[in-house]
Amino acid sequence: MATFISVPLKKSSEVDLVKPLSKFVAATYSAGEEQGEYTRAVEEFNKLRKNALGRPLDKHESSLEILLRYYDQLCAVEPKFPFSENQLCLTFTWKDAFDKGSLFGGSVKLALASLGYEKTCVLFNAAALASQIAAEQNLDNDEGLKAAAKYYQLASGAFGHIKDTVLSALNREPTMDISPETVGTLSLIMLAQAQEVFFLKATSDKMKDAVIAKLANQAADFYGDAFKQCQYKDNLPKYFYFQEVLPVLAAKHCIMQANAELHQSMLAKQKKRFGEEIARLQHAAELVKTVASRYDEYVSVKDLTDKINRALTAAKKDNDFIYHDRVPEVKDLEPIGKAALVKATAITPPLSQKFTDLFEKMVPMAVQQSMSMYSQRKAETVNRLVGSMREATNLCNGVLASLNLPAALEDLSGDSIPQSIAEKARSIVQQGGLQSIEQLIKDLPELLTRNREILDESLKMLDDEETTDKELRAKFNERWNRTPSADLYKPLRAEGANFRNVLDKAVQADQVVRDRYSAHCEMIALLCKPENELVAAIPSANPAKTLQGSEVVNVLRSQLAQLEQMKKERETLEGEIKAVTFDMSATFLTALAQDGAINEEQLSSSQLDQLYGTYNQRVQASLRTQEELLGQVQTSHQEFSSLKQSNTEANQREEVLKKLASAHDSYVEISSNLREGTKFYNDLTEILLKFQNKCSDIVFARKTERDELLKDLQQSIAREPSAPSFSVPAYQSNPAAPVAPAAPAAGPTPAPRTVFPQQPQQAQQALPKPQPPARPPPPSFTPQAATTIPTNAPPTGPPATNPPPVAPPSQPQGPPYPTYQGYPGYFQMPMGYNPYAYGQYNMPYMPYQATPGQGGYPAAPPAGQPYPGYPQQPPQQPYYPQQ
């Protein structure tokens, strides 16, 4: 009776985890100790998969521990890497566990770029191995019984977990072995076997008969449910595995029910219900008799049958001679109770007792993404504060330059270079002068072209693969059942469009810088000249020494000094703002652990307000101070201008000094813009190279998936029948209608008209003549080595009547069927001859192509002429009835 069902393991193809995961680690984490640690963890992860799936596993707990450890690691690593078809694409290929394949087609397999698919298949193997380990246990001792019950419940829970999660994990139709119907059935089978083990444990412990009967009845109920699940699902019995399992389930259902009746009969005997005892034993005897007659090759019930028969014989004897209790009908017996002591093990990682996460220090992808969004928000806040201060400073410099300050205060002599202008000229020369700016402007187009080429090449890879995918989808239609490339590449194309938009805006910004340089180029060149040439280029004016030491000059100098102090404070404030740091990972991890999700916007905004609230107030105060000081400077400058002696030469000199001051400020700004632009293009190059690698990886993964799918399609096409099934005419399958052969003619045997065996002449004469339906003539065709087609040849379609067969001509009309090289004795019916295939299936008529060395088949003869190859019958007794 101890026949237990175990499940075969799935087989997986080898997958290289090291290359794609290491590339992601190198692209995501900066070089250093952290990156090296994660790279080593990736290598260990790859070794763990090879140990779990790359070799045959023993039916031992240590092998199951390896599988469970790999499953736990998959669950732990899933939130930490962006496993998807359009990001970190890893294609896992698994074969159907139950499908043995065919000679040409191979077994059914499925390749998916889904970590959920890998988890499902690994958990299936863990459940299957647990069932095999349980089946190997020695059920004659307590340790074996406990281990078997434990592993059967684990297998039931694992199969049940797959049933609940497989469709959401795959997002497509799975192979039949991991479909919800199949794993649901396997879960019921494992639970029934666990209940049976508890029944055996109770029997060995000699527990009360009432308890044992309830346990057996519950096991019978579980087996019955599993049997119905197998029987009523259309797609399960076609598997050879389930065809073998069905009889075992039916037998186990009857055996457990018989055991329940046996132990319940013992309880009835104890309660002096002798009629009930006999009725239950009779029912149990009928059940084991059914098993012995139908399922004896699967399960042996000899011992149980002998036990029940002995008890039944003794009960009948005692009742007939002593008790004379009435034996009730089985339907009138009180139902036996049920006691379910088993429960499917809940699948809650970690399942392994020795599991340690290889990527314990790596934060989940949700936290990484939240950190990235937080960094972006922080950068926007910093840029907004720093940008507002820089904009205000540029505005201040522009206002002072338009007022020719502080040069106007320094140029009271009217014939020397103001100190501020001389310092600005020296600053420009020290920074490289015109040559540095012209070199930076010259480098920009090269950097732009390089970035555009990388972006174009990346998008071209996507375009080429998408075109191939569309062509194959149009060719195979619904058979091409993978995700369309157009849908898969939408995020990448959106990212590429964003990069192109960024480049277009950068081109516009470059043009603005060039225009500004063109406007101030002449004055910048003047500042780069030697001091004597610069003095000669500035017009001289009458001295205004009378203003030296005046109150208005002192006030202006004081106000300009306050503005310079304000600028220095802004530089310090800008450094403080940029130096602010805060690690949000702990905050995001806490939120993820508590709520299961991260409200990044709320958490980031709250933290940034705390960090930069004070700095924002200081920036606003600086802007208000500048506004007040500029108002005072403009008022003082008006008073200063009214006191100065105004003439044409003085105005010209002041205008040149304004342009020189403005040219210096423009030089500083243009140099800063060009260096920022160069850094921008270089940084963008790194980003675009990562984007290119991402496109290259996904295209390579799609090509691998495409090759696998094409191979599977070729195998499935090879397994399909080459032609549709068709019905054979009734007279051809009638064994009582043999056709008598004609007398052999001299020379070669005429080509036979059918491939069915013919009976001797004597047998035909002894049998009554059959009356088959009318047989249409063969279609007409142009012979290549036969008689000429008569002009009155009938059409190729079936005629309304058939002419009576007459004796064949004395000369043969064609050679026998040829024996083809390599297939001796194999005679192939020419496709063009069969008159039935075309009319039934709307197939176009194909004229027969004669084989070299073989004469063609004759056309239909004229009315009244014989069909070649048909035996002649007397005219008064035609073989075929006339219509």
Side-chain angles (χ1 to χ4, degrees):
M1 190 187 75
T3 300
F4 287 89
I5 298 167
S6 59
V7 182
L9 272 67
K10 292 172 70 68
K11 293 182 180 179
S12 173
S13 300
E14 185 177 353
V15 178
D16 181 18
L17 301 177
V18 175
K19 183 178 178 181
L21 295 184
S22 298
K23 185 181 290 187
F24 173 80
V25 168
T28 306
Y29 300 95
S30 57
E33 182 179 350
E34 187 180 42
Q35 186 184 112
E37 182 179 351
Y38 293 154
T39 303
R40 289 190 294 271
V42 166
E43 294 174 355
E44 290 296 323
F45 186 33
N46 193 55
K47 290 179 183 177
L48 182 59
R49 187 182 196 275
K50 288 183 177 180
N51 290 334
L53 307 177
R55 60 185 179 88
L57 296 176
D58 299 329
K59 298 176 183 178
H60 192 268
E61 185 177 0
S62 60
S63 299
L64 180 61
E65 180 69 20
I66 294 174
L67 267 178
L68 293 179
R69 192 143 49 94
Y70 178 55
Y71 176 78
D72 291 337
Q73 188 59 65
L74 286 174
C75 295
V77 84
E78 186 176 21
K80 298 181 179 181
F81 288 88
F83 293 103
S84 65
E85 285 186 286
N86 55 5
Q87 293 188 58
L88 187 55
C89 185
L90 286 173
T91 302
F92 301 98
T93 304
W94 288 82
K95 293 183 179 180
D96 192 310
F98 303 128
D99 186 80
K100 302 304 180 184
S102 61
L103 179 62
F104 299 104
S107 59
V108 175
K109 61 183 178 180
L110 178 63
L112 282 181
S114 166
L115 194 73
Y117 177 52
E118 174 85 346
K119 285 171 52 183
T120 298
C121 295
V122 171
L123 187 59
F124 181 95
N125 272 11
L129 186 59
S131 73
Q132 295 178 12
I133 296 174
E136 293 291 318
Q137 297 299 315
N138 182 8
L139 302 182
D140 295 332
N141 56 59
D142 284 351
E143 284 101 4
L145 289 168
K146 290 179 181 178
K150 169 188 171 184
Y151 290 126
Y152 280 134
Q153 291 178 89
L154 173 62
S156 177
F159 285 131
H161 184 77
I162 295 173
K163 175 188 175 183
D164 297 335
T165 60
V166 62
L167 295 181
S168 60
L170 268 63
N171 291 325
R172 63 171 294 176
E173 192 67 24
T175 50
M176 197 58 64
D177 56 345
I178 57 173
S179 66
E181 295 85 1
T182 304
V183 291
T185 303
L186 294 175
S187 179
L188 286 175
I189 293 173
M190 296 299 118
L191 200 63
Q193 295 187 150
Q195 181 74 16
E196 182 181 352
V197 171
F198 272 93
F199 159 75
L200 295 175
K201 178 73 166 60
T203 304
S204 67
D205 292 346
K206 297 182 180 180
M207 298 180 71
K208 293 181 179 180
D209 291 314
V211 175
I212 298 176
K214 290 179 180 180
L215 292 174
N217 196 35
Q218 183 66 67
D221 200 26
F222 283 152
Y223 277 119
D225 292 343
F227 179 80
K228 291 176 184 177
Q229 189 86 352
C230 280
Q231 196 175 31
Y232 294 144
K233 295 297 181 182
D234 296 336
N235 47 5
L236 297 185
K238 73 177 183 179
Y239 274 123
F240 179 77
Y241 174 83
F242 285 99
Q243 292 173 358
E244 293 290 324
V245 165
L246 273 173
V248 177
L249 295 178
K252 287 292 191 77
H253 172 68
C254 295
I255 291 170
M256 287 293 102
Q257 206 168 356
N259 274 294
E261 295 289 356
L262 174 62
H263 287 277
Q264 193 71 16
S265 71
M266 296 177 184
L267 183 63
K269 182 179 180 180
Q270 296 169 10
K271 294 181 179 181
K272 309 297 184 182
R273 300 174 185 171
F274 303 107
E276 179 184 345
E277 177 191 8
I278 295 174
R280 292 193 182 278
L281 288 172
Q282 287 176 343
H283 188 208
E286 292 173 0
L287 289 170
V288 293
K289 182 180 179 181
T290 301
V291 175
S293 61
R294 296 184 182 180
Y295 312 115
D296 187 52
E297 61 178 306
Y298 300 100
V299 180
S300 175
V301 289
K302 186 177 184 303
D303 294 341
L304 181 61
T305 302
D306 293 343
K307 184 176 180 180
I308 292 173
N309 288 337
R310 285 196 302 268
L312 179 59
T313 302
K316 282 184 176 180
K317 183 178 179 181
D318 291 345
N319 194 54
D320 290 343
F321 287 97
I322 302 174
Y323 306 113
H324 303 288
D325 196 4
R326 186 184 69 84
V327 179
E329 296 288 335
V330 175
K331 63 181 180 180
D332 297 330
L333 295 175
E334 183 180 350
I336 303 174
K338 300 174 184 177
L341 297 185
V342 295
K343 184 179 180 182
T345 303
I347 303 301
T348 306
L351 301 175
S352 170
Q353 299 176 355
K354 303 177 182 178
F355 172 69
T356 53
D357 187 4
L358 296 173
F359 302 91
E360 185 175 4
K361 295 182 180 179
M362 183 181 290
V363 296
M365 282 303 300
V367 177
Q368 293 183 33
Q369 293 171 356
S370 298
M371 289 291 293
S372 176
M373 292 299 297
Y374 167 75
S375 299
Q376 185 175 347
R377 294 180 191 277
K378 177 185 173 184
E380 290 175 355
T381 302
V382 171
N383 291 337
R384 176 172 54 81
L385 294 176
V386 172
S388 61
M389 288 192 296
R390 289 184 177 180
E391 185 179 354
T393 300
N394 291 335
L395 175 62
C396 177
N397 292 336
V399 171
L400 293 181
S402 66
L403 300 178
N404 193 25
L405 293 175
L409 299 180
E410 299 166 353
D411 190 38
L412 296 180
S413 63
D415 54 1
S416 62
I417 301 177
Q419 183 64 28
S420 61
I421 298 298
E423 291 177 356
K424 290 177 179 179
R426 286 192 294 271
S427 173
I428 290 178
V429 172
Q430 290 174 359
Q431 296 181 37
L434 285 177
Q435 291 79 9
S436 63
I437 288 186
E438 290 175 351
Q439 184 62 41
L440 290 172
I441 292 177
K442 181 181 177 182
D443 292 341
L444 287 181
E446 297 179 3
L447 299 174
L448 173 65
T449 302
R450 180 182 64 187
N451 287 331
R452 278 188 168 164
E453 287 176 352
I454 296 173
L455 180 59
D456 292 342
E457 181 64 27
S458 303
L459 296 178
K460 184 177 182 298
M461 286 191 292
L462 301 182
D463 294 338
D464 293 344
E465 199 284 326
E466 183 175 338
T467 301
T468 305
D469 182 71
K470 288 181 178 178
E471 292 174 354
L472 291 172
R473 190 174 302 279
K475 180 178 180 180
F476 293 104
N477 297 324
E478 67 278 357
R479 289 173 179 256
W480 198 252
N481 54 2
R482 69 171 184 168
T483 307
S485 295
D487 297 340
L488 192 63
Y489 294 157
K490 282 182 179 178
L492 289 175
R493 294 197 179 279
E495 195 173 354
N498 182 47
F499 287 139
R500 195 171 298 281
N501 186 35
V502 167
L503 285 175
D504 292 340
K505 289 183 178 179
V507 171
Q508 297 176 4
D510 294 345
Q511 188 59 44
V512 172
V513 173
R514 289 192 187 93
D515 293 343
R516 185 178 301 169
Y517 173 70
S518 300
H520 297 278
C521 178
E522 185 179 352
M523 287 294 134
I524 295 174
L526 184 58
L527 287 173
C528 294
K529 291 182 179 181
E531 185 174 352
N532 56 347
E533 295 185 17
L534 182 59
V535 172
I538 300 175
S540 59
N542 293 329
K545 293 182 180 181
T546 55
L547 293 178
Q548 290 183 359
S550 65
E551 181 68 20
V552 66
V553 171
N554 294 332
V555 170
L556 265 177
R557 285 176 176 167
S558 173
Q559 293 169 346
L560 292 177
Q562 294 179 33
L563 285 175
E564 287 299 322
Q565 182 64 28
M566 182 194 68
K567 291 178 185 179
K568 292 180 180 179
E569 291 176 355
R570 284 181 180 174
E571 291 178 358
T572 304
L573 181 58
E574 180 177 333
E576 293 177 4
I577 291 174
K578 290 181 177 180
V580 173
T581 57
F582 184 79
D583 187 6
M584 285 288 290
S585 58
T587 305
F588 290 142
L589 284 170
T590 303
L592 184 63
Q594 291 178 352
D595 305 331
I598 301 175
N599 189 345
E600 181 274 328
E601 183 177 0
Q602 178 182 353
L603 294 175
S604 297
S605 300
S606 175
Q607 187 62 44
L608 290 174
D609 288 343
Q610 294 180 18
L611 294 175
Y612 293 101
T614 304
Y615 292 108
N616 187 44
Q617 294 175 3
R618 291 174 60 184
V619 169
Q620 296 301 322
S622 175
L623 296 181
R624 289 193 296 270
T625 301
Q626 174 180 308
E627 187 175 357
E628 294 174 359
L629 285 174
L630 285 179
Q632 296 173 7
V633 167
Q634 288 175 331
T635 303
S636 300
H637 183 266
Q638 289 178 356
E639 185 178 352
F640 172 75
S641 298
S642 62
L643 295 176
K644 283 183 64 177
Q645 184 178 358
S646 179
N647 55 45
T648 304
E649 293 178 353
N651 292 338
Q652 290 178 351
R653 178 180 177 84
E654 186 172 352
E655 190 67 30
V656 171
L657 293 177
K658 289 180 181 178
K659 289 181 179 180
L660 290 174
S662 179
H664 171 267
D665 295 339
S666 297
Y667 178 87
V668 173
E669 186 176 356
I670 290 171
S671 297
S672 175
N673 291 339
L674 289 175
R675 291 189 179 90
E676 288 178 359
T678 302
K679 183 178 182 300
F680 162 79
Y681 283 124
N682 289 328
D683 293 344
L684 185 61
T685 299
E686 295 182 7
I687 297 173
L688 288 175
L689 287 174
K690 292 181 180 180
F691 176 72
Q692 187 182 38
N693 290 335
K694 188 190 299 185
C695 294
S696 177
D697 290 344
I698 190 173
V699 167
F700 177 77
R702 293 285 286 180
K703 286 181 178 178
T704 304
E705 182 186 15
R706 179 189 69 198
D707 295 341
E708 289 286 340
L709 187 54
L710 281 173
K711 184 178 178 181
D712 293 343
L713 285 175
Q714 290 169 358
Q715 292 177 354
S716 64
I717 291 172
R719 286 193 294 265
E720 292 179 353
S722 58
S725 58
F726 55 89
S727 57
V728 180
Y731 78 92
Q732 292 186 6
S733 59
N734 186 0
V739 180
T749 305
R753 311 309 290 179
T754 69
V755 293
F756 302 105
Q758 298 180 352
Q759 302 294 334
Q761 183 75 21
Q762 294 82 359
Q764 185 196 358
Q765 292 175 356
L767 295 173
K769 294 188 176 354
Q771 299 295 327
R775 179 170 183 170
S780 63
F781 58 89
T782 304
Q784 298 183 4
T787 57
T788 306
I789 299 177
T791 56
N792 57 349
T796 58
T801 60
N802 288 325
V806 293
S810 59
Q811 296 297 326
Q813 297 300 308
Y817 287 111
T819 299
Y820 295 99
Q821 184 177 1
Y823 297 87
Y826 171 74
F827 303 113
Q828 182 181 6
M829 176 63 75
M831 190 63 184
Y833 171 78
N834 189 352
Y836 301 100
Y838 304 101
Q840 294 180 8
Y841 303 105
N842 297 321
M843 297 172 63
Y845 169 67
M846 298 170 58
Y848 173 70
Q849 302 295 329
T851 306
Q854 175 181 346
Y857 287 89
Q865 295 297 321
Y867 276 94
Y870 282 96
Q872 183 180 8
Q873 300 292 336
Q876 66 275 14
Q877 294 181 353
Y879 185 80
Y880 290 98
Q882 303 300 306
Q883 300 295 330

